Amino acid sequence: GAVYDGRSAELSLAKTPYKLPASPQLVGVVGLEIHAQIYASTKLFSSSQVCFSSPPNSSVSFFDAALPGTLPVLNRRCVEAAVMTGLALGCTINKRSLFDRKHYFYADLPAGYQITQQRLPIAVGGRLSYSHLVGRKRNQVVDKNVRIKQIQLEQDSGKSLHDSYRSQTLIDLNRAGVGLMELVLEPDMSCGEEAAAAVRELQLILQALGTCQGNMSEGQLRVDANVSVHRPGEPLGVRTEVKNINSARFLARAIDYELQRQMAVVEGGGTVLNETRAFDFKSGQTVPMRDKEGLQDYRFMPEPNLPPLILYERETVPAHTDPRQVVLVDQLQEQLPELPRVTRDRLVTTYGILPEHSFTLVNEDGLVDYFVGVVQQTRAEPKKVIGWVLNDLLGLLKQQCLTVSQSCPLGVPLKWSLCVCARVCVCGEPCRQVLQELWKGSGKSAKHIVEEQGLGLMRDRSEIQQVCRRVIDSHPDEVSALRAGNKNVLNKLIGQVRKQTKGRADPQLVRAILEEELSRPPFHGETT
């Protein structure tokens, strides 16, 4: 058919919600190339410092600027980071890997080529296991796997800053030469939601390993998505590449839009172009950038200034070798920390919380430690603590634009505030009030706030009994249903008692009193 890129359908597609698959005959195929900036103090082949907020061109060595006669010196930390990442993802670590030159000509690439590992990368194979939540309430966990083709070390490029007002482009080489791990994921995903979930899981793994900070807003994790559509049983379709996406949410939107666009092209009898596209987050559309370069355009060649990278096990280290010049794979294997999936399983098994709650705990940096700390200090029921943490604590943090790892303005760790609340009042509104007061920075302790505002737990049986009787008298229909055998109604009555006591009544004592009062024979004239 005629070449048709579907641009006439782009506006209508951008205005409609993404619902995949758009056609029962066509299915999406998604692969990812993820560039993770290695967490290291210096660059991959030079001693220039790595700092996101440095003034432009203030962290550029002679080698970074590609001055003649300069030679690369490999950063050991970057090698160790790539090996640890490969081990955590179940990859085969190549004990001998090679560096190559990949030629392309941009103003922010001074040498005219990038040093990478095309032929023999540092790690191959492997698998990324991830989960995502589905269902109306997003409380059903679906487990997925995506194969990892390879992990390779390579240099980052500089940044081109386009000034449209003056019609000029400014170059900042601070990022040029920063160490990257490129992780190539096979096309095992079918939609944007799966791709976003895989990237989030990888982000957590890298952060747990300490090999990449994973701050996507600072460009520490950038994703290229390879997207195509085809009919099951037929060869894969022509793919497009959506470049440099720096948000998991935008990644999902970009992929789903591109799948819909390609489905519209194919169903309209057109041909999908093999091109590179960018995602415009304002319009929600992908837009063409350039035709895809073939492999031959990059003119790959061996890097002549770097010998093969050799890795060792403890038993294979040559005699009289400087230990500072050796990377030991088995030693790095022993240093691997607990990975996010294991942490989630441990939280569910140990504390009996819901799987979807374990995702929230692990996804927020520092939240697992706070949750465990509160449970251990208060010895409260974990399901009650999870309510405090997810509802009260995270709500206040969001209001104040704070992270979990930060403390409240008083300098008191948040978990101690929750611990005090647990000892002197119940969860819910009283605990929320205490935390709000602490955030005001009045200098009062949590215990003082509880006593001053009368937020402490009600333990006077006679006082609670009076409230229970008032609730029973004012809810004759519920009492009748309960005495007729509908036990679920009791929870509603408990809720009414807690509402009248502003959440201060001990729920276990409330239940006991209500059951006792309702077990008595009704008085004359009382509803039966």
Side-chain angles (χ1 to χ4, degrees):
V3 174
Y4 166 65
D5 63 6
R7 293 188 181 113
S8 61
E10 287 183 1
L11 186 60
S12 61
L13 283 174
K15 292 180 178 179
T16 58
Y18 302 124
K19 294 182 180 179
L20 295 174
S23 165
Q25 289 81 33
L26 291 168
V27 295
V29 178
V30 180
L32 300 177
E33 296 173 10
I34 302 171
H35 295 86
Q37 179 179 312
I38 297 172
Y39 184 41
S41 59
T42 57
K43 296 183 180 180
L44 181 58
F45 296 116
S46 79
S47 58
S48 299
Q49 296 295 306
V50 176
C51 183
F52 174 72
S53 57
S54 295
N57 296 306
S58 63
S59 186
V60 184
S61 71
F62 291 157
F63 177 80
D64 302 330
L67 296 186
T70 56
L71 295 173
V73 178
L74 183 58
N75 185 336
R76 172 178 173 168
R77 161 62 188 165
C78 293
V79 176
E80 292 176 338
V83 172
M84 288 186 70
T85 302
L87 292 172
L89 296 172
C91 296
T92 299
I93 306 298
N94 286 324
K95 300 297 175 57
R96 180 180 183 273
S97 59
L98 304 173
F99 288 97
D100 306 287
R101 289 186 181 183
K102 176 182 179 181
H103 294 82
Y104 54 98
F105 301 97
Y106 293 150
D108 52 24
L109 193 70
Y113 61 84
Q114 174 195 46
I115 300 179
T116 182
Q117 291 188 305
Q118 176 69 17
R119 295 172 297 158
L120 190 58
I122 196 167
V124 295
R127 187 176 301 272
L128 172 63
S129 298
Y130 66 96
S131 304
H132 63 109
L133 302 175
V134 299
R136 286 179 55 190
K137 297 183 179 180
R138 299 194 64 78
N139 59 355
Q140 301 174 29
V141 179
V142 176
D143 295 325
K144 298 270 187 175
N145 291 290
V146 55
R147 292 169 296 150
I148 297 172
K149 180 181 179 181
Q150 65 189 54
I151 300 175
Q152 60 198 49
L153 284 167
E154 62 184 29
Q155 297 169 297
D156 206 346
S157 62
K159 293 178 67 174
S160 296
L161 308 172
H162 304 291
D163 184 351
S164 56
Y165 180 75
R166 295 182 176 86
S167 299
Q168 63 183 5
T169 297
L170 304 176
I171 304 298
D172 181 7
L173 294 180
N174 279 347
R175 200 178 67 183
V178 169
L180 296 179
M181 294 180 287
E182 181 177 355
L183 297 96
V184 181
L185 275 56
E186 298 282 12
D188 296 339
M189 294 157 283
S190 61
C191 65
E193 184 178 11
E194 290 184 6
V199 169
R200 289 191 189 100
E201 184 70 13
L202 178 62
Q203 183 181 34
L204 291 173
I205 291 172
L206 296 176
Q207 289 169 342
L209 295 171
T211 57
C212 173
Q213 291 180 300
N215 188 335
M216 299 188 78
S217 64
E218 294 185 1
Q220 294 171 355
L221 201 66
R222 307 191 296 273
V223 185
D224 301 337
N226 295 305
V227 183
S228 66
V229 298
H230 75 125
R231 291 182 171 84
E234 296 183 359
L236 297 181
V238 176
R239 65 182 174 91
T240 60
E241 183 179 25
V242 186
K243 295 284 287 185
N244 288 331
I245 305 171
N246 63 352
S247 158
R249 182 165 57 92
F250 289 161
L251 176 67
R253 290 177 58 194
I255 290 173
D256 287 346
Y257 172 84
E258 182 61 17
L259 288 172
Q260 279 199 330
R261 187 192 71 83
Q262 292 187 23
M263 289 177 180
V265 170
V266 174
E267 290 175 337
T271 302
V272 176
L273 299 178
N274 180 216
E275 60 183 352
T276 300
R277 300 175 72 90
F279 178 65
D280 182 351
F281 70 92
K282 292 182 180 179
S283 66
Q285 303 177 47
T286 63
V287 294
M289 291 176 63
R290 59 182 182 270
D291 291 340
K292 281 292 295 176
E293 301 99 331
L295 279 178
Q296 66 277 8
D297 292 337
Y298 291 125
R299 292 179 297 149
F300 284 102
M301 61 170 281
E303 168 54 57
N305 294 324
L306 286 169
L309 173 58
I310 307 299
L311 306 176
Y312 297 96
E313 305 280 347
R314 285 192 181 97
E315 295 78 11
T316 61
V317 178
H320 309 296
T321 301
D322 185 352
R324 295 173 299 178
Q325 302 298 322
V326 174
V327 174
L328 301 177
V329 176
D330 53 347
Q331 186 178 71
L332 294 174
Q333 177 79 61
E334 295 168 0
Q335 296 174 7
L336 293 180
E338 181 179 77
L339 298 180
R341 174 178 286 271
V342 178
T343 303
R344 289 193 295 264
D345 292 342
R346 175 172 58 82
L347 290 170
V348 172
T349 303
T350 304
Y351 299 103
I353 63 175
L354 296 175
E356 57 266 32
H357 291 164
S358 72
F359 276 85
T360 305
L361 290 177
V362 173
N363 289 353
E364 294 283 342
D365 183 32
L367 197 54
V368 171
D369 292 337
Y370 277 118
F371 168 75
V372 174
V374 172
V375 172
Q376 291 176 348
Q377 291 294 323
T378 64
R379 298 183 181 178
E381 183 182 354
K383 291 182 180 179
K384 180 183 289 186
V385 175
I386 201 72
W388 297 339
V389 172
L390 299 188
N391 298 325
D392 304 334
L393 177 59
L394 287 186
L396 280 171
L397 286 170
K398 187 175 182 180
Q399 290 176 12
Q400 302 295 325
C401 297
L402 294 173
T403 62
V404 179
S405 56
Q406 294 172 318
S407 298
C408 60
L410 299 179
V412 180
L414 296 174
K415 72 178 179 183
W416 303 123
S417 303
L418 285 173
C419 289
V420 174
C421 292
R423 291 192 181 102
V424 295
C425 65
V426 294
C427 62
E429 189 57 32
C431 187
R432 192 174 296 114
Q433 291 178 37
V434 173
L435 289 174
Q436 287 173 344
E437 287 295 320
L438 287 171
W439 241 274
K440 293 178 182 178
S442 63
K444 299 177 183 178
S445 67
K447 185 176 182 180
H448 181 82
I449 294 170
V450 169
E451 294 173 350
E452 182 181 66
Q453 299 190 14
L455 300 174
L457 194 65
M458 288 177 59
R459 300 187 185 277
D460 188 331
R461 182 181 178 86
S462 61
E463 186 179 0
I464 298 175
Q465 192 172 35
Q466 291 178 10
V467 178
C468 289
R469 286 174 176 172
R470 287 199 301 269
V471 169
I472 290 173
D473 292 341
S474 59
H475 293 80
D477 294 339
E478 286 78 1
V479 171
S480 296
L482 188 61
R483 285 177 168 155
N486 188 351
K487 301 296 184 183
N488 293 331
V489 180
L490 182 61
N491 291 328
K492 181 177 180 180
L493 297 181
I494 293 173
Q496 289 298 317
V497 173
R498 296 197 63 200
K499 182 177 180 181
Q500 292 191 23
T501 59
K502 298 181 179 179
R504 294 171 52 227
D506 185 339
Q508 295 181 348
L509 185 56
V510 170
R511 177 180 290 274
I513 292 175
L514 284 174
E515 289 176 345
E516 179 183 321
E517 292 291 326
L518 293 168
S519 65
R520 297 174 181 172
F523 295 107
H524 179 68
E526 186 180 342
T527 304
T528 59

